[in-house]
Amino acid sequence: MEAFSSFNLWQRLSSSWMRVHRRFFHASPHMASSEDLMFKNYDDVQHKLMEEECILINEDDVNIGAATKKICHLWSNIQKGMLHRAFSVFLFNTKNELLLQQRSMSKITYPGHWSNTCCSHPLNFPAELEERDSLGVLRAAQRKLKHELGIEAHEVPIESMKYVTRIHYKSQNVPNDGLWGEHEIDYIIFVHRDVTLHVNDAEVKDVCYMTKADVRSFIDNSTERAIFISPWFRLIVEHFLPTWWDNLQDLRPCLDYRTIHRMVDCQI
């Protein structure tokens, strides 16, 4: 794919975004009163995915149980302190360009938002619960790269993934429906390889490789051009990504397994 080099991208998403924007903002204030009402406006595939079990954790990233993705992402539960484990993959090609994805318009949280390569959760089953060398999280990342982008496991072997650090953040859904949100400790994973993409349209609306300068301009001009950026990606770009990108050939100076960077109170 060509590196992103202009901002005509906003024209491709504006009309579809506004349809979703209107749908959410005019939803009934009582939509959380029952399971049927809660999901009546959502895609069946995304509804089913909300049944997956995420890993509940405390603020020190200690496993304390499990709950469905739906329960974890309800803003009412988040406001009571519910927190779960997540990951964000940053995949760079051998030209040192970062692969971004635009989330599908059918996603329940942050539809149509541009973000890093792949973002999701390790699930509550043995292979993804394993904490030794963060193997559970890395296996989950490999699984979701296949699910969302069609990247085969042999193209992103576990040993090619670099766990960098963890970020703790919280954000309400956009459009702000008062129902959904995110509250995660997010494992940052870097991959530096050329891969073959077979994008899953149910998960991803668009993809694009960008240079470091492109990403900076993309973020800086996003509001003016009605381009929506996921809150976790914006935080990472603003606080961490430039340094990590500069050390892409040797990430060892950036690896920090002890710190959980507290970004909950940061302006997004």
Side-chain angles (χ1 to χ4, degrees):
M1 286 190 177
E2 296 293 326
F4 180 82
S5 59
S6 69
F7 290 105
N8 59 5
L9 178 65
W10 72 273
Q11 295 173 317
R12 293 188 292 179
L13 65 90
S14 294
S15 60
S16 56
W17 166 259
M18 289 310 296
R19 287 196 297 272
V20 169
H21 189 273
R22 287 193 295 270
R23 184 191 78 187
F24 277 88
F25 274 103
H26 294 288
S28 165
H30 306 296
M31 67 184 299
S33 62
S34 74
E35 184 82 7
D36 288 341
L37 288 175
M38 184 181 292
F39 289 104
K40 69 176 182 179
N41 291 323
Y42 297 120
D43 177 82
D44 288 343
V45 172
Q46 296 300 323
H47 182 183
K48 185 174 178 61
L49 289 172
M50 294 296 267
E51 298 172 5
E52 294 179 335
E53 279 202 340
C54 295
I55 301 167
L56 295 179
I57 52 177
N58 65 18
E59 291 196 354
D60 295 319
D61 193 25
V62 175
N63 182 346
I64 60 171
T68 65
K69 191 180 295 184
K70 181 193 81 172
I71 290 172
C72 289
H73 290 84
L74 283 171
W75 187 246
S76 57
N77 291 332
I78 290 170
Q79 290 293 79
K80 296 172 187 175
M82 185 172 284
L83 177 64
H84 61 276
R85 188 173 289 163
F87 64 82
S88 288
V89 176
F90 290 72
L91 187 149
F92 299 82
N93 62 19
T94 52
K95 295 190 287 186
N96 297 335
E97 297 165 337
L98 174 62
L99 179 63
L100 272 63
Q101 70 153 274
Q102 184 188 10
R103 294 164 64 84
S104 166
M105 301 304 289
S106 66
K107 299 287 278 188
I108 292 173
T109 55
Y110 307 97
H113 284 56
W114 282 88
S115 195
N116 49 285
T117 310
C118 179
C119 316
S120 192
H121 316 87
L123 299 180
N124 184 45
F125 61 87
E128 295 186 10
L129 284 165
E130 186 169 353
E131 298 189 354
R132 177 177 57 89
D133 298 327
S134 303
L135 278 173
V137 173
L138 298 178
R139 288 170 181 148
Q142 189 181 61
R143 170 177 58 81
K144 289 301 289 186
L145 285 168
K146 167 64 174 175
H147 176 226
E148 294 188 2
L149 298 165
I151 302 171
E152 298 292 344
H154 69 84
E155 291 196 303
V156 283
I158 296 296
E159 58 270 20
S160 73
M161 298 180 178
K162 297 290 187 291
Y163 158 46
V164 180
T165 192
R166 291 169 291 177
I167 293 170
H168 177 193
Y169 78 96
K170 179 167 71 173
S171 176
Q172 284 188 274
N173 195 25
V174 178
N176 186 349
D177 48 25
L179 184 59
W180 307 107
E182 289 284 8
H183 188 207
E184 303 178 330
I185 290 182
D186 194 17
Y187 283 64
I188 308 304
I189 300 169
F190 270 38
V191 180
H192 194 190
R193 297 171 73 88
D194 290 329
V195 296
T196 305
L197 301 177
H198 300 284
V199 173
N200 178 355
D201 294 338
E203 292 290 318
V204 178
K205 186 175 189 293
D206 204 355
V207 293
C208 190
Y209 280 101
M210 294 192 190
T211 67
K212 184 179 177 184
D214 289 335
V215 170
R216 182 68 269 170
S217 295
F218 192 61
I219 297 290
D220 289 346
N221 291 277
S222 59
T223 300
E224 176 186 346
R225 299 185 178 275
I227 296 171
F228 294 86
I229 308 296
S230 73
W232 59 90
F233 183 50
R234 187 181 293 275
L235 278 175
I236 292 166
V237 170
E238 297 294 349
H239 295 274
F240 301 101
L241 187 59
T243 299
W244 295 341
W245 208 321
D246 287 343
N247 287 273
L248 191 55
Q249 304 305 322
D250 183 4
L251 282 168
R252 285 176 296 178
C254 303
L255 304 182
D256 183 358
Y257 304 147
R258 293 186 177 183
T259 304
I260 300 174
H261 301 275
R262 307 296 180 182
M263 315 294 288
V264 171
D265 297 323
C266 289
Q267 184 68 34
I268 299 177

